[in-house]
Amino acid sequence: MIFTISNIINSIAGQLATLYPNVSVYDSPSYNTEYPCFYVFVTTPSIADEIDGIEMRDIGFDIVYVQERNSVAQNAELIEIMETLDEGFDVLTYDDGTLTAPLHTHDRSASIEDQELHYKFSIRQRVSREKEHIYMAEMEEQNVEVEE
């Protein structure tokens, strides 16, 4: 399985499309935006090295729901969407195009700012890198010595 931020964004967009099939999802603001819509932003990616070529990736996301300004029952709609997102994003179905896997979300929170809903969470995933060959260590393991 290939773990990338692009695949996570596409997986989030797919999950949003399942929850809200009539609402567009964007990864950046555009002049041709149709409201209401969702934006998916990466907020705080970090990588921490662990033992034996393993990395812990902690990637923050902000799903922003934008609707027409000053619409009727706007706050009630935002609260309903907040609850749906909270239920729908407990686990993200990650899809890399070949395999799918459940990823648990962490640090979920929501806020309403300037008539927009911000639903934030992070994904923490351990990934492995290809090991670099350390030829000297291989030689020592095989009891190989250099002739003088």
Side-chain angles (χ1 to χ4, degrees):
M1 178 171 288
I2 300 170
F3 188 77
T4 66
I5 291 176
S6 296
N7 286 342
I8 298 172
I9 291 171
N10 290 336
S11 298
I12 292 170
Q15 202 147 318
L16 286 169
T18 301
L19 295 170
Y20 294 97
N22 298 324
V23 179
S24 299
V25 180
Y26 303 99
D27 62 358
S28 62
S30 168
Y31 291 111
N32 299 326
T33 303
E34 294 180 23
Y35 297 103
C37 68
F38 288 103
Y39 290 104
V40 179
F41 298 109
V42 177
T43 57
T44 55
S46 66
I47 298 174
D49 289 328
E50 295 187 353
I51 61 170
D52 203 26
I54 303 293
E55 295 176 341
M56 172 59 85
R57 293 194 180 176
D58 188 352
I59 306 166
F61 293 91
D62 185 5
I63 298 174
V64 181
Y65 178 75
V66 182
Q67 60 185 345
E68 291 289 338
R69 298 282 184 201
N70 302 318
S71 63
V72 177
Q74 182 175 17
N75 199 42
E77 181 181 2
L78 292 176
I79 291 171
E80 180 182 322
I81 291 169
M82 180 188 317
E83 290 176 349
T84 301
L85 292 177
D86 202 37
E87 292 172 8
F89 279 92
D90 179 35
V91 174
L92 173 67
T93 302
Y94 178 77
D95 186 351
D96 72 353
T98 59
L99 298 170
T100 60
L103 298 179
H104 291 276
T105 59
H106 303 274
D107 304 325
R108 293 179 295 156
S109 66
S111 62
I112 298 172
E113 301 168 16
D114 296 328
Q115 301 177 353
E116 296 175 349
L117 171 64
H118 291 262
Y119 186 79
K120 298 177 182 182
F121 60 90
S122 65
I123 292 176
R124 296 181 189 126
Q125 185 66 30
R126 284 187 171 84
V127 297
S128 62
R129 296 180 308 221
E130 286 188 29
K131 285 177 131 182
E132 295 180 25
H133 286 298
I134 304 173
Y135 296 108
M136 186 58 88
E138 289 178 11
M139 289 174 58
E140 288 173 357
E141 290 172 4
Q142 298 174 7
N143 293 325
V144 175
E145 296 180 8
V146 177
E147 292 182 18
E148 293 184 29

